[in-house]
Amino acid sequence: VSANPHIPSVSASAVLGESASMPDDVPICKGHDFNTACTSDKDNIDSIMDSMLTTGFQATNLGKAVEEIKRMRKWRLSDTPWKEGDDEALRDPAVRSKIRARIFFAYTSNQISCGQREVIKFLVQHKMVDVIVTTAGGIEEDIIKCFEPTYMGDFKLSGKELRKKGINRIGNLLVPNKNYCKFEDWVAPLISKMHDEQDAAFLEQAKELAASNGQSDEPLKPFAYTPSEFIARLGKEINNEESVLYWAQKNDIPIFCPALTDGSVGDMIYFHSYKRPGFILDIARDIRRINDLSVQSHASGQIIIGGGLVKHHTCNANLMRNGADFSVYINTGHEFDGSDGGASPDEAISWGKIRITAEPVKVCADATIVFPLIVSQTFAKDLEEWKESTKECVCWLED
């Protein structure tokens, strides 16, 4: 406190009070120095991203997200020592070194509507994620873009005028109605074909059951498609390398969409039901499948863009294994209204959706800005090295 007699002692105490010493390991706030960058061998983007951790605010959270994703990708079971009581099959260090974390990747439909689709396609094409969760728009918009493009518009365009012209607005993007008409023309015959396959499988099973007079000990076989199987079929049939769904089915990456009917696909199923009732999508088998993928993981990571259904469905699956080991949220939601979308990682820890030992990160920002930057410093940074290092890796010993 100042000894200056001209300053009131109460003011001096309030304004000039003593501070505690900062610990030696606390980073100093310092941003990107373009003067230094100009003389560096590093790319500008790498140099800028390196400085994010000490810039402050959401830049620091962005830097932390990069570090968290690096940790989830680097993790191997060999990082954790084997102890008495553990599975004997996991005792060999060589075996443990080949078991990595299973990465759950979730995103809302707007990430496919916009140019983020190409970033997501890169991850799926190169098998850098293991499980995907998205919404109905994240399915159909990917297919629709294989037929017709989405156009740039403006946030301020009149909805009334666009409606008269048959043009739909997604933020500052424009999608003509004809795009959805082409999707309907393509998907309607496919739904009919899958309905035929469903009924044929059911009839075959009914014949087998009748032949055994109902005495067969064999469990009944599923005859209806699950949403994830339906989505994989879309990816196979579209056969287009620009498609996320195409690469997901080609690389055997399941895409879960528990609200598949909440969009154009639902519209098509609705229309189909008037022509021919009885088409079924089996969501029960899908919840079993995604939860089993979580349980059958020696470690799990989750990267979740957006909130709502995709965030909760992914976190809830990880709850089945007592929480994810690594987590990155990217969204603009706030928790003052109690929404799941705005809920912080710490709230997820209270539910057991993220482990209490984890160091999760939330980046509060527009994902179209920050996610490509994150990918540039992680997945895209070591593509060939990742492929080589994970060539014989599994996420579960029996995979």
Side-chain angles (χ1 to χ4, degrees):
V1 179
S2 172
N4 189 331
H6 302 293
I7 300 176
S9 61
V10 64
S11 301
S13 176
V15 178
L16 304 172
E18 297 260 348
S19 7
S21 297
M22 296 298 292
D24 293 338
D25 60 349
V26 174
I28 295 171
C29 176
K30 187 176 183 181
H32 181 65
D33 185 347
F34 279 94
N35 286 313
T36 303
C38 289
T39 60
S40 170
D41 292 334
K42 272 191 174 184
D43 288 341
N44 234 355
I45 186 67
D46 291 346
S47 184
I48 292 171
M49 290 299 294
D50 284 348
S51 69
M52 288 291 179
L53 274 171
T54 58
T55 295
F57 308 137
Q58 290 308 304
T60 292
N61 286 354
L62 175 57
K64 287 181 176 180
V66 168
E67 296 305 310
E68 178 75 342
I69 291 174
K70 285 179 178 177
R71 284 191 293 270
M72 79 171 70
R73 300 180 71 229
K74 185 180 179 182
W75 184 91
R76 298 293 181 270
L77 188 57
S78 52
D79 296 343
T80 306
W82 186 91
K83 61 182 185 299
E84 289 298 331
D86 286 351
D87 188 343
E88 193 66 36
L90 297 172
R91 187 165 191 161
D92 186 348
V95 171
R96 298 176 78 81
S97 69
K98 291 298 182 180
I99 296 177
R100 63 175 180 85
R102 195 183 304 277
I103 299 178
F104 289 73
F105 180 45
Y107 52 86
T108 45
S109 63
N110 56 345
Q111 301 305 301
I112 293 295
S113 302
C114 70
Q116 195 89 279
R117 176 185 183 233
E118 281 62 47
V119 178
I120 292 170
K121 184 194 76 174
F122 168 79
L123 300 182
V124 179
Q125 178 181 355
H126 296 291
K127 301 178 71 171
M128 291 182 148
V129 295
D130 304 294
V131 181
I132 294 173
V133 179
T134 190
T135 54
I139 303 303
E140 60 212 26
E141 295 286 337
D142 179 67
I143 297 294
I144 288 169
K145 281 188 171 183
C146 294
F147 300 126
E148 292 289 340
T150 294
Y151 298 91
M152 298 306 303
D154 192 283
F155 286 102
K156 297 183 178 66
L157 291 176
S158 166
K160 180 179 178 180
E161 294 305 314
L162 290 173
R163 181 62 179 166
K164 292 176 181 177
K165 297 176 181 177
I167 296 174
N168 308 281
R169 181 170 68 83
I170 305 172
N172 60 353
L173 305 177
L174 299 175
V175 187
N177 269 345
K178 72 171 184 178
N179 294 22
Y180 292 95
C181 295
K182 288 196 174 184
F183 175 67
E184 178 183 359
D185 292 342
W186 180 81
V187 81
L190 182 56
I191 292 174
S192 294
K193 184 177 181 182
M194 294 175 76
H195 196 162
D196 289 341
E197 294 165 357
Q198 169 201 287
D199 287 357
F202 174 75
L203 184 60
E204 182 65 29
Q205 185 162 254
K207 287 179 179 177
E208 291 175 3
L209 197 60
S212 68
N213 292 317
Q215 302 301 312
S216 174
D217 293 329
E218 291 292 320
L220 295 176
K221 302 170 188 174
F223 61 86
Y225 284 95
T226 65
S228 64
E229 290 169 344
F230 180 89
I231 293 163
R233 182 65 172 271
L234 297 182
K236 180 180 179 181
E237 297 290 340
I238 196 64
N239 194 27
N240 187 318
E241 293 189 359
E242 295 301 309
S243 164
V244 173
L245 269 57
Y246 166 82
W247 286 109
Q249 66 81 29
K250 186 176 178 66
N251 290 329
D252 198 25
I253 299 170
I255 299 180
F256 294 97
C257 183
L260 183 61
T261 55
D262 185 31
S264 186
V265 171
D267 297 343
M268 298 306 105
I269 293 174
Y270 171 68
F271 297 153
H272 176 83
S273 73
Y274 276 92
K275 181 173 68 174
R276 182 181 171 191
F279 183 62
I280 298 168
L281 287 175
D282 185 353
I283 63 171
R285 280 199 294 131
D286 255 7
I287 194 64
R288 168 70 181 265
R289 187 183 182 192
I290 190 172
N291 286 355
D292 280 354
L293 284 168
S294 170
V295 171
Q296 296 167 6
S297 301
H298 292 283
S300 71
Q302 50 185 11
I303 302 168
I304 305 174
I305 302 177
L309 180 142
V310 302
K311 183 169 178 273
H312 186 268
H313 201 62
T314 305
C315 287
N316 201 67
N318 277 277
L319 167 61
M320 299 300 146
R321 62 178 306 275
N322 200 29
D325 300 274
F326 310 96
S327 297
V328 170
Y329 293 175
I330 305 171
N331 66 60
T332 54
H334 301 279
E335 58 181 342
F336 67 83
D337 58 0
S339 65
D340 182 78
S344 69
D346 193 61
E347 182 175 311
I349 290 174
S350 79
W351 287 90
K353 297 171 183 176
I354 296 175
R355 296 206 168 184
I356 59 175
T357 53
E359 298 178 14
V361 181
K362 174 175 176 176
V363 184
C364 192
D366 182 342
T368 59
I369 300 170
V370 299
F371 191 60
L373 295 174
I374 290 172
V375 170
S376 77
Q377 301 304 299
T378 53
F379 298 99
K381 198 81 164 173
D382 60 356
L383 176 58
E384 295 307 320
E385 181 184 336
W386 164 263
K387 287 182 177 179
E388 187 60 34
S389 67
T390 59
K391 193 175 290 184
E392 298 177 2
C393 280
V394 294
C395 301
W396 187 248
L397 193 58
E398 297 174 7
D399 281 358

